[in-house]
Amino acid sequence: MNDVQPTQLPSHVLILEDNAIILLDTEEMLKEMGVATVLTATTPKEALLIIEKSPPQFGLLDVDLGFDTCFAVAERLTGLRIPFAFATGYADNHQIPARFAGIACVRKPYTAEA
């Protein structure tokens, strides 16, 4: 028998992801898990605009966005005291600055358990 208690999910989540397939799959997975509102962005600029208009309860931030990174968005969420996790397809977390060392990092491809 599994003794793990379910974690209460936030009802309003922001996903920052530049891969359209991963973005859509993650959005669908979160909605199936019961997240009421999932806002999506493909660039840090877009994510920052979303945060200003409708601050999420949680953020899932892809670290490597092609020619950009998510760290400006991570700084903004930190300033607003909004929890978030990093997402990466790489085996190590070498891209994540030391100031974010305590932030959870989820490996892609995502699973509902992660």
Side-chain angles (χ1 to χ4, degrees), residues 8 14 27 31 37-38 41 48 50 56-57 59 65 71 85 91 110 114:
Q8 183 176 353
L14 167 66
E27 178 181 18
K31 287 182 176 180
T37 305
V38 179
L48 290 168
I50 289 170
Q57 293 175 320
L65 299 166
F71 301 125
Y110 306 118

Side-chain angles (χ1 to χ4, degrees), residues 8-14 30-31 34-39 56-58:
Q8 183 176 353
L9 293 172
S11 63
H12 187 136
V13 173
L14 167 66
L30 288 172
K31 287 182 176 180
V35 175
T37 305
V38 179
L39 300 175
Q57 293 175 320
F58 184 80

Side-chain angles (χ1 to χ4, degrees), residues 90-111:
Y90 298 103
D92 60 22
N93 299 341
H94 75 279
Q95 295 177 296
I96 299 174
R99 67 185 178 274
F100 297 122
I103 303 298
C105 190
V106 180
R107 289 285 315 262
K108 294 191 281 186
Y110 306 118
T111 63

Side-chain angles (χ1 to χ4, degrees), residues 7-90:
T7 303
Q8 183 176 353
L9 293 172
S11 63
H12 187 136
V13 173
L14 167 66
I15 304 169
L16 172 57
E17 170 64 60
D18 65 337
N19 181 299
I21 294 171
I22 294 173
L23 182 65
L24 293 172
D25 285 348
T26 307
E27 178 181 18
E28 182 178 327
M29 181 176 22
L30 288 172
K31 287 182 176 180
E32 287 175 1
M33 294 172 63
V35 175
T37 305
V38 179
L39 300 175
T40 62
T42 59
T43 67
K45 182 179 180 179
E46 194 177 11
L48 290 168
L49 289 171
I50 289 170
I51 291 167
E52 295 312 309
K53 290 180 182 178
S54 182
Q57 293 175 320
F58 184 80
L60 182 58
L61 311 178
D62 183 13
V63 173
D64 183 7
L65 299 166
F67 294 106
D68 210 343
T69 66
C70 67
F71 301 125
V73 178
E75 291 285 356
R76 185 66 184 133
L77 292 174
T78 299
L80 293 171
R81 303 184 66 139
I82 297 171
F84 62 93
F86 290 117
T88 183
Y90 298 103

